[in-house]
Amino acid sequence: MKILPFFFVIPPCLRQLQLSAALLRATALELAILAGHLFLYPSGIAQERRRDPVDEAVGMLPETSRLPTTGHAHPPVVLLHGFVDNRSVFVLLRRSLARHGWHHLESLNYSPLTCDIRTAAELLGRHIEEICERTGHARVDIVGHSLGGLIARYYVQRLGGDTHVRTLVTLGTPHSGTRVAPPMSAHPIVRQMRPGSDVIEELREPAPDCRTKFVSFWSDLDQLMLPVETACVTHEDLIAQNIRVTGIGHLALPVHPAVAAGIRQALQAQDAAAGAPGAASVA
């Protein structure tokens, strides 16, 4: 007699109760994170001050504009927030990366008045080129939450940004467009995140020479991704890894310790593949 996995012998009504309980827990966590983020939000409105990656840990301002790469195992990591958000969303992730050996971290704010993903991607490209010039690194890694991941993907895939971006990590990004209709759905950039928009269709076009590695974290309880699988990268030309996260919602992705650990592992794997000095010693 074939034995079915335990989940499949649970009556459908109990399965629904389990899902509802998980959703309630995720929603409660989302509300707690939202409250904390609203408290931190004012601290992230202004652009951050540039710091030397060596001196950042001790709070010293840089003395030179160009930074040496010798002795740094990791390339710079650029953190890009989501819609109507700012860099304060990455406070915990930034702390986690710094604690585990990533010393050059930059959080970029784009204007809340931004109405076009293409324009935002062009501006991101200028920032990335400036960071590469200033730090002496040829390439950077990017972590983008939600819309931030889509802006970064457009830069990488459509504007030649793969020459400067080694790894693009996305957190709850609507790669295929989301059908959710938030209260601000009249905003042009929200319309660009819907299935079938011009931007989403452009990202479906061939990209055979794209060299950037994509790592996409998607959650089975992300209420802003409809369907939730839209946060996966499915383009056949892209080098992509999709990582499912269970039991948390959209706002939890940039702050959850398990996701932070997954991001560190993904970037460390890239360091190991590139033979970066000291990569094996990173926890």
Side-chain angles (χ1 to χ4, degrees):
M1 181 178 68
K2 184 177 181 180
I3 300 176
L4 295 175
F6 179 71
F7 178 80
F8 292 99
V9 300
I10 298 176
C13 59
L14 292 182
R15 270 186 254 163
Q16 189 63 39
L17 285 174
Q18 285 186 330
L19 178 59
S20 298
L23 185 57
L24 284 174
R25 288 193 296 268
T27 302
L29 179 60
E30 289 284 280
L31 291 174
I33 291 171
L34 177 60
H37 187 40
L38 289 175
F39 177 77
L40 291 173
Y41 191 92
S43 68
I45 293 175
Q47 293 283 5
E48 69 178 358
R49 300 172 69 183
R50 295 171 183 167
R51 295 176 183 268
D52 186 300
V54 175
D55 295 336
E56 187 176 48
V58 293
M60 294 175 61
L61 292 176
E63 295 181 358
T64 59
S65 59
R66 187 177 177 85
L67 306 171
T69 62
T70 304
H72 300 300
H74 309 290
V77 175
V78 178
L79 307 172
L80 196 61
H81 62 81
F83 182 60
V84 297
D85 210 338
N86 63 38
R87 62 187 178 87
S88 63
V89 73
F90 291 116
V91 166
L92 295 180
L93 177 59
R94 185 179 184 127
R95 185 178 303 167
S96 173
L97 290 170
R99 190 164 52 239
H100 288 83
W102 278 264
H103 297 304
H104 196 113
L105 304 165
E106 301 214 13
S107 302
L108 300 181
N109 279 352
Y110 54 86
S111 171
L113 302 178
T114 299
C115 292
D116 182 61
I117 287 175
R118 302 176 187 89
T119 301
E122 291 174 1
L123 292 173
L124 172 63
R126 294 176 202 165
H127 282 297
I128 298 299
E129 291 175 6
E130 186 274 331
I131 290 170
C132 289
E133 173 63 24
R134 173 162 43 88
T135 65
H137 285 273
R139 304 180 85 189
V140 304
D141 294 326
I142 299 179
V143 178
H145 180 225
S146 195
L147 172 60
L150 204 60
I151 291 171
R153 178 179 172 183
Y154 194 93
Y155 165 62
V156 164
Q157 187 179 330
R158 302 292 298 168
L159 301 180
D162 62 316
T163 60
H164 292 301
V165 180
R166 183 184 71 161
T167 315
L168 172 54
V169 178
T170 64
L171 312 174
T173 289
H175 290 286
S176 300
T178 177
R179 296 188 180 94
V180 74
M184 299 183 69
S185 59
H187 197 290
I189 212 164
V190 175
R191 293 198 295 270
Q192 289 184 334
M193 290 189 282
R194 290 178 175 169
S197 73
D198 290 345
V199 168
I200 296 299
E201 290 303 307
E202 281 188 61
L203 294 177
R204 292 168 59 88
E205 294 181 10
D209 301 319
C210 186
R211 297 180 294 169
T212 298
K213 167 72 178 292
F214 289 79
V215 181
S216 175
F217 289 83
W218 64 283
S219 172
D220 56 357
L221 294 179
D222 190 332
Q223 298 299 297
L224 293 185
M225 297 296 106
L226 185 64
V228 292
E229 292 83 5
T230 191
C232 297
V233 177
T234 57
H235 197 298
E236 61 182 10
D237 290 336
L238 301 180
I239 306 166
Q241 176 185 11
N242 296 301
I243 301 175
R244 178 179 177 177
V245 183
T246 61
I248 65 174
H250 190 75
L251 296 179
L253 285 166
V255 303
H256 200 280
V259 177
I263 293 171
R264 295 196 309 267
Q265 291 170 6
L267 299 184
Q268 183 181 354
Q270 288 288 83
D271 290 335
S281 63
V282 179

